[in-house]
Amino acid sequence: MTLRIVLADDSLLLREGIARLLIEAGFDVVAQAGEPDELLDAVRDHQPDVAIVDIRMPPSHTDEGLRAAEAIRAEHGERVGVLVLSQYVETSFALRLVGEASGGMGYLLKDRVSDLDELAEAVRRISRGGSVIDPEVVAQLVGHHRARVPLDDLTEREREVLALMAEGRSNQAICERLFLAPKTVEAHITSIFSKLELLPAPDDHRRVLAVLALLRA
């Protein structure tokens, strides 16, 4: 089934460029919008699988897009996935995204959309209820430790695994990225949970808590 997309960005040139990339990747761009109210109407009218939203939109170009994304989630729940695009690293939004512990949400830097495979995979993952956080955001957050925290006890490989978890990668995707066997990745994740003192619970819940520990450090 072809995934249906509503795309919002106040820059017509950028919006048309992203739309062309999405169509090339096999998606159906059912509507485009240049401002928040137009976006919300388009989502109501078309009920897309994913809404792709610029974080800064008119009139003030601060967080209107973000607030529109939150309004979509509040009105439509996980029926409509939301991928927020930003020109800059907005770490507070990344933390809110993971802290909600809800699927079908993502945050990518606009530079990432030039990689068609990366963009397409992010949209598909969000449509399936997964989460996506830009690797650059994760890298900046990991590099800003101050006081000693439990994360300091992680090995370099465990940090790599946790960073990929923060991007929303599945165990299988982590195996492929790091060229590790599934049992090795599972062992690293178990060790991460132990070192972060995350008590036994469903693994999805503990993954969220582990990523929160990373982003808040």
Side-chain angles (χ1 to χ4, degrees):
M1 183 180 68
T2 302
L3 295 179
R4 304 168 71 253
I5 310 296
V6 165
L7 174 62
D9 195 297
D10 66 309
S11 169
L12 177 61
L13 184 61
L14 180 59
R15 193 169 72 234
E16 289 289 349
I18 296 174
R20 183 169 299 182
L21 287 173
L22 291 167
I23 293 169
E24 182 180 335
F27 299 106
D28 182 10
V29 179
V30 296
Q32 298 184 36
E35 52 90 23
D37 288 341
E38 188 180 358
L39 163 64
L40 296 176
D41 287 341
V43 171
R44 293 187 188 103
D45 291 342
H46 296 277
Q47 293 292 308
D49 297 292
V50 178
I52 301 178
V53 185
D54 183 12
I55 202 169
R56 301 188 180 196
M57 296 185 71
S60 71
H61 295 278
T62 54
D63 67 344
E64 282 87 354
L66 175 55
R67 286 190 277 117
E70 291 173 334
I72 292 171
R73 177 46 55 99
E75 182 174 343
H76 302 276
E78 295 187 20
R79 295 188 302 276
V80 178
V82 180
L83 173 59
V84 177
L85 301 179
S86 177
Q87 189 70 38
Y88 310 100
V89 174
E90 310 270 359
T91 54
S92 61
F93 173 62
L95 185 58
R96 283 161 61 186
L97 172 65
V98 180
E100 289 178 0
S102 58
M105 294 285 286
Y107 169 35
L108 289 180
L109 296 180
K110 286 186 176 179
D111 289 346
R112 197 72 55 188
V113 303
S114 61
D115 185 331
L116 182 55
D117 290 339
E118 187 83 12
L119 175 62
E121 172 57 25
V123 173
R124 292 190 182 101
R125 197 187 314 165
I126 289 168
S127 73
R128 296 192 297 265
S131 298
V132 175
I133 299 181
D134 195 283
E136 179 64 24
V137 178
V138 174
Q140 288 203 25
L141 289 166
V142 171
H144 282 80
H145 296 307
R146 291 182 175 85
R148 181 173 179 80
V149 294
L151 288 171
D152 295 328
D153 295 329
L154 301 185
T155 66
E156 186 63 32
R157 178 62 83 186
E158 288 167 352
R159 287 176 178 274
E160 291 175 342
V161 170
L162 182 53
L164 290 172
M165 288 167 61
E167 292 175 25
R169 307 284 178 179
S170 66
N171 284 16
Q172 182 58 41
I174 294 172
C175 291
E176 295 170 358
R177 180 65 65 90
L178 299 180
F179 303 102
L180 297 175
K183 287 187 177 180
T184 303
V185 170
E186 290 171 6
H188 284 312
I189 292 174
T190 297
S191 178
I192 290 168
F193 290 160
S194 176
K195 290 179 179 179
L196 297 182
E197 300 179 352
L198 298 176
L199 298 176
D203 275 355
D204 285 350
H205 179 65
R206 289 201 291 176
R207 286 174 85 95
V208 170
L209 294 177
V211 171
L212 279 173
L214 171 68
L215 298 182
R216 285 171 173 163

